[in-house]
Amino acid sequence: MKIKLTYILLIISAPFLLSGCGQTGSSDGHEHEHAEEKQDEHVHGDEEEHAEAEGVVELNAVQIANAGLQYGGMDTVNISAYVKANGTLDLPPQNIAAVSAPMDGFVKKANYLVGDYVKKGTVLAVLEHMDYIKLQEEYLSVINNLSYLESEYQRQKQLDSARVTAKKQYQAASAAYEGAMARKKALEKQLQYMGLSPKRVASGEISATINIRAPLSGHITALNVHNGAFAEQRQELYEIVDTDHMHLELNVFEQDISEVKVGQPISFAVPAMGEQRYKGEVFLVGKSFDQQSKTVKVHAHIGHENHDFIRGYYAEAKIYTEDKRIVALPEDAVVSDEGKSFIFILTEDAHEKGTVQEDEHGHEEEAGNHEEAHGTSFKRVQVVTGEKDQGFVQIAEVPELMKDVKIVTRGAYYLLSEMKKGEGGHHHH
């Protein structure tokens, strides 16, 4: 009987033991799952917190002072619509002179170099040749013989009027005299063309040299002369340009030419001289179309003369066709990052918080320490930009912002740099 009782007790006890073991295992499982959920919630919370912090930068008082920030709002500004054009600096034909030798000769003296400024009438070079002497001798011979021919002509004229001599002799004397006068005038023109004075030659001053003079005031831009060289007639020795009336020769594309009118203002830059912009005005709009470049020539006058301009320099211009109002911000307010454009807005200013706070016991305390702890926060907002002009950039798609929001108009690149530093120092484990 004892054996049977023990067996029954064991059978009865077994379910309870098994049940107890099952309950213990189930409890441990729930606790493990709960811990994993807590861990997941913690990680997810970190990710949400980081996501909220993305695009936000916080500066302390020292950084604010260094940044030199300025604020403003989204506003409409008056900006000009314009047509883009390019071309070159040029001069009118009357401001360019090619200087050549009136007769063949050897260069005895060359006085100036490329870049030198010379006034009209300045002696650029001295040429010499025996032909100069021969020409002057011929002139002297003609004027010396002219007195005899003139007296003979007058004598035959008187005889003809008295019908004492034959008509043929009078006509011969008249032809000889008139021929000598014509030759005298022609030689005088030649001497003057060479820069020699007929009066001085007539008085016996014969020169073996001639002076090559500047026909206008300006800068020497080309020369093909040196001492001892032989200069041929019509050979270009110097080129002189007067830059006082420099103008623009622009090329405007066919789709834009209908908008260009005489009198419209122009802003242009000369890349070879830097980023400075200069002003001008449309003076002439061409009437011929270039089939190759698909452009029309536009002639523009420059507002203020600049003697640093050089003929042939490339120029990039904007021809302003009309004024219009657009939503825009200063160029310094917009920054680029990874191909996108952004602005920064002020989201939390430590200096605008209340100066008194209550502690956990209900006592008032100064909030200065809290201000320093929080700093000043800025949020990055993506924008879509349009044209740039006169220091402003168009905001083509205006983001929805709170009323009276403060936009950073100066110092945005500083904020972007600080944000990049913060992103570089953040790591996930």
Side-chain angles (χ1 to χ4, degrees):
M1 290 293 292
K2 285 182 181 178
I3 294 171
K4 289 180 180 178
L5 181 61
T6 304
Y7 179 74
I8 292 169
L9 287 172
L10 285 171
I11 292 172
I12 294 171
S13 300
F16 288 99
L17 290 171
L18 290 171
S19 175
C21 289
Q23 286 177 355
T24 303
S26 175
S27 175
D28 288 346
H30 284 300
E31 286 177 5
H32 180 67
E33 287 176 10
H34 185 63
E36 285 182 350
E37 286 177 4
K38 278 190 173 183
Q39 186 175 353
D40 287 344
E41 287 176 4
H42 177 69
V43 171
H44 185 64
D46 282 350
E47 288 177 355
E48 284 186 347
E49 185 180 347
H50 178 63
E52 290 177 0
E54 274 189 22
V56 175
V57 61
E58 189 174 286
L59 302 185
N60 58 37
V62 175
Q63 289 173 313
I64 289 289
N66 292 335
L69 302 179
Q70 291 182 7
Y71 305 97
M74 198 80 70
D75 198 7
T76 58
V77 297
N78 194 35
I79 196 168
S80 297
Y82 58 83
V83 167
K84 288 184 178 180
N86 54 51
T88 56
L89 294 171
D90 207 348
L91 288 165
Q94 64 268 26
N95 284 54
I96 307 169
V99 183
S100 57
M103 285 184 68
D104 294 350
F106 293 94
V107 180
K108 184 177 182 180
K109 188 178 182 183
N111 295 326
Y112 295 95
L113 299 174
V114 171
D116 285 338
Y117 178 82
V118 294
K119 291 185 177 181
K120 182 178 180 179
T122 301
V123 176
L124 303 174
V126 178
L127 305 184
E128 62 180 352
H129 201 281
M130 289 300 295
D131 287 348
Y132 309 158
I133 297 174
K134 289 178 181 178
L135 186 64
Q136 294 168 83
E137 284 178 339
E138 184 181 353
Y139 178 69
L140 277 174
S141 176
V142 168
I143 60 175
N144 289 335
N145 192 39
L146 192 62
S147 59
Y148 164 75
L149 293 173
E150 184 179 8
S151 62
E152 180 63 17
Y153 165 72
Q154 293 296 339
R155 189 176 72 85
Q156 291 296 335
K157 185 178 182 181
Q158 290 174 359
L159 290 173
D160 180 65
S161 62
R163 295 185 183 275
V164 174
T165 184
K167 192 78 173 175
K168 184 183 284 189
Q169 291 177 331
Y170 167 67
Q171 290 175 342
S174 176
Y177 173 67
E178 288 176 358
M181 283 294 294
R183 183 57 181 159
K184 173 179 176 288
K185 288 180 180 178
L187 289 170
E188 283 178 348
K189 291 294 184 183
Q190 273 190 276
L191 293 173
Q192 289 169 351
Y193 177 67
M194 293 170 61
L196 297 172
S197 169
K199 286 185 178 180
R200 289 186 177 181
V201 175
S203 67
E205 292 184 26
I206 296 178
S207 174
T209 62
I210 59 172
N211 294 326
I212 307 299
R213 298 181 182 272
L216 53 77
S217 297
H219 289 85
I220 295 174
T221 54
L223 66 82
N224 184 29
V225 61
H226 58 84
N227 290 348
F230 182 75
E232 295 183 354
Q233 190 178 11
R234 296 179 298 275
Q235 175 187 340
E236 184 177 312
L237 304 180
Y238 294 89
E239 182 187 64
I240 301 175
V241 298
D242 177 7
T243 58
D244 285 343
H245 300 285
M246 192 78 72
H247 64 256
L248 282 172
E249 288 293 342
L250 299 173
N251 303 305
V252 178
F253 287 106
E254 58 179 323
Q255 66 266 24
D256 298 325
I257 195 64
S258 61
E259 300 180 43
V260 178
K261 303 287 186 294
V262 172
Q264 288 174 337
I266 289 177
S267 169
F268 71 96
V270 182
M273 298 177 62
E275 298 181 358
Q276 183 178 348
R277 300 198 71 82
Y278 307 90
K279 294 182 179 180
E281 183 180 292
V282 175
F283 187 74
L284 288 173
V285 178
K287 301 300 180 184
S288 61
F289 179 71
D290 189 320
Q291 292 290 345
Q292 272 195 329
S293 63
K294 305 296 183 185
T295 61
V296 175
K297 288 285 185 185
V298 171
H299 176 96
H301 283 180
I302 296 171
H304 297 284
E305 303 295 343
N306 188 321
H307 293 291
D308 292 330
F309 284 162
I310 294 178
R311 180 187 175 211
Y313 266 176
Y314 173 75
E316 296 173 342
K318 295 176 181 178
I319 303 173
Y320 296 102
T321 55
E322 61 177 343
D323 289 337
K324 61 181 179 180
R325 294 192 69 80
I326 62 168
V327 177
L329 284 170
E331 287 188 33
D332 289 344
V334 182
V335 294
S336 298
D337 185 28
E338 296 180 355
K340 298 176 183 178
S341 297
F342 298 91
I343 61 173
F344 282 91
I345 61 172
L346 179 67
T347 57
E348 186 178 15
D349 190 350
H351 299 286
E352 292 183 355
K353 295 178 183 177
T355 55
V356 177
Q357 296 180 349
E358 289 186 356
D359 62 15
E360 58 184 359
H361 302 293
H363 296 100
E364 292 182 351
E365 63 177 5
E366 291 185 2
N369 291 334
H370 294 277
E371 291 173 8
E372 291 179 5
H374 289 287
T376 303
S377 298
F378 302 89
K379 183 179 180 181
R380 186 173 70 172
V381 177
Q382 186 176 349
V383 294
V384 178
T385 60
E387 293 288 339
K388 291 182 181 180
D389 191 34
Q390 304 175 53
F392 287 90
V393 58
Q394 180 185 8
I395 306 302
E397 294 182 16
V398 183
E400 292 185 8
L401 301 173
M402 291 181 359
K403 189 178 179 182
D404 299 328
V405 67
K406 289 185 177 180
I407 299 172
V408 177
T409 57
R410 183 178 176 185
Y413 277 100
Y414 180 88
L415 294 177
L416 180 64
S417 175
E418 290 299 318
M419 178 177 287
K420 290 292 185 183
K421 290 179 186 176
E423 290 175 359
H426 188 89
H427 298 280
H428 290 284
H429 296 285

